[in-house]
Amino acid sequence: MVREMSFETDRLRLESWDTALGSEQEKQALAAELEVILTPPVLRSLPEPMQLADTETAISDWVAARHAESHVLTIRDDNTTLIGLLILAASGNAEYPPTVHIGYLFSEIMWGKGFASELIGGLVAWYQDQGEGPSFLPVLHLRILRP
């Protein structure tokens, strides 16, 4: 998985959150942004290991767990506001092309605005530009539309 991954679409800017995890101050800023996004309705469709614990360190623990198991990109709008996350996890097999499991989530106020389609189109275009050809498995289709 390419850790320096970043790309833009017409309305979205994606970049690895690795830089935001570089210092304690940046981690705290990201955690504050995620508090607005990781709400019960957004997390409802996620498997149990991706739910927030009921602890004071829930957000930072959630970030650490995602960072350990996958590559995460922040999704920002034109105003640089964090509106979601893209989660990519390569399969454990050493296959080529690699299999990439895709998960994404958007803040509730962004639901139903076509961002998911734009995100996936941008992701596929990025991989094509890189000359890589992974097989995509959408195993974490997170709820992005109102029920």
Side-chain angles (χ1 to χ4, degrees):
M1 184 76 47
V2 179
R3 299 301 278 191
E4 303 83 35
M5 181 178 193
S6 66
F7 63 91
E8 292 184 19
T9 67
D10 289 342
R11 301 180 294 166
L12 304 173
R13 293 183 357 184
L14 286 90
E15 64 183 13
S16 173
W17 73 356
D18 288 353
T19 54
L21 300 177
S23 74
E24 193 57 39
Q25 183 178 7
E26 291 170 316
K27 285 180 192 177
Q28 289 175 3
L30 178 62
E33 289 179 301
L34 288 172
E35 280 185 49
V36 177
I37 294 174
L38 300 178
T39 63
V42 169
L43 297 174
R44 181 181 12 229
S45 298
L46 292 171
E48 184 61 34
M50 293 185 76
Q51 297 296 320
L52 283 177
D54 190 16
T55 65
E56 286 186 28
T57 60
I59 299 282
S60 59
D61 294 344
W62 191 92
V63 168
R66 301 299 71 75
H67 186 67
E69 69 189 14
S70 55
H71 180 58
V72 181
L73 288 89
T74 57
I75 305 170
R76 296 187 182 274
D77 65 11
D78 293 337
N79 299 321
T80 70
T81 301
L82 183 68
I83 63 169
L85 298 173
L86 172 63
I87 304 167
L88 303 171
S91 77
N93 302 333
E95 58 190 51
Y96 191 84
T99 299
V100 177
H101 300 265
I102 302 170
Y104 54 86
L105 52 88
F106 288 95
S107 64
E108 291 177 71
I109 61 171
M110 296 299 151
W111 290 355
K113 297 183 180 188
F115 287 123
S117 298
E118 186 172 331
L119 167 67
I120 297 302
L123 178 64
V124 169
W126 183 88
Y127 271 105
Q128 289 173 338
D129 289 347
Q130 302 305 306
E132 298 184 30
S135 299
F136 293 106
L137 295 177
V139 296
L140 296 176
H141 179 56
L142 310 180
R143 186 180 308 266
I144 58 168
L145 301 174
R146 295 193 188 275

